[in-house]
Amino acid sequence: FLRLVSWEDDRSIFQSILSDDVIQRYNQITEFATLTDALAEEDQAIDLLPTQLPEGYLPASITRTKQLGATTYHAKYYKDKQQLSLKIRVGKHKSAIYLVPSTAQAYTYQQNGIDFTVYPLDGHWHALWQSGTVNYSLSAPITETELLAVLDSIK
């Protein structure tokens, strides 16, 4: 029933300690063909999305998970075996809690009126940003320059 959790685990702490069978019953997980299809059912505007990704990344899966008053959209894109992950969490209340490891050298990047928290960690570049009750995160094994180009495409 319990499993070991590593830092790289892509799920919440609660999800990481439960078996997959319990998670399926606890969460409402839906798959979509495109991110546009997934977001079409959302009540509020999800408008701070990148319009460009680094060259060669193709969509692989789009899921929506509903749980405890929040909805998380997770878009995975692949270039060869390298994964770019875009997560969008829509809550009922404004939340500015970002978990950035203390060892990460994070900085604020401002572009198009948006404050992004940007940092490198374990060969990936990460970006976090927020608008109202919507939190966004992007992570990929790309260069800082490539990440900033993606962030520059968000308006």
Side-chain angles (χ1 to χ4, degrees), residues 26-44:
Y26 171 74
N27 295 324
Q28 296 175 2
I29 301 173
T30 308
E31 293 188 16
F32 294 88
T34 68
L35 188 55
T36 303
D37 291 344
L39 297 177
E41 298 180 18
E42 190 57 51
D43 292 336
Q44 63 179 306

Side-chain angles (χ1 to χ4, degrees), residues 81-93:
K81 293 184 180 184
Q82 304 286 327
Q83 177 184 308
L84 182 145
S85 173
L86 173 64
K87 290 185 182 178
I88 305 154
R89 183 183 183 280
V90 182
K92 291 183 179 179
H93 307 286

Side-chain angles (χ1 to χ4, degrees), residues 57-86:
Y57 278 91
L58 301 173
S61 69
I62 313 293
T63 58
R64 179 186 65 203
T65 305
K66 291 186 174 186
Q67 61 182 2
L68 295 178
T71 301
T72 302
Y73 299 91
H74 190 185
K76 294 179 184 178
Y77 302 85
Y78 284 93
K79 176 181 177 180
D80 300 321
K81 293 184 180 184
Q82 304 286 327
Q83 177 184 308
L84 182 145
S85 173
L86 173 64

Side-chain angles (χ1 to χ4, degrees), residues 59-148:
S61 69
I62 313 293
T63 58
R64 179 186 65 203
T65 305
K66 291 186 174 186
Q67 61 182 2
L68 295 178
T71 301
T72 302
Y73 299 91
H74 190 185
K76 294 179 184 178
Y77 302 85
Y78 284 93
K79 176 181 177 180
D80 300 321
K81 293 184 180 184
Q82 304 286 327
Q83 177 184 308
L84 182 145
S85 173
L86 173 64
K87 290 185 182 178
I88 305 154
R89 183 183 183 280
V90 182
K92 291 183 179 179
H93 307 286
K94 186 174 181 177
S95 169
I97 298 174
Y98 293 132
L99 299 176
V100 177
S102 60
T103 57
Q105 295 180 355
Y107 67 92
T108 300
Y109 177 70
Q110 296 179 324
Q111 183 67 7
N112 300 321
I114 306 164
D115 289 338
F116 299 95
T117 300
V118 176
Y119 62 96
L121 184 67
D122 297 332
H124 285 67
W125 274 91
H126 303 264
L128 308 167
W129 64 103
Q130 177 183 23
S131 176
T133 63
V134 183
N135 293 296
Y136 303 82
S137 68
L138 188 139
S139 173
I142 57 179
T143 67
E144 180 181 16
T145 302
E146 289 174 310
L147 177 66
L148 296 181

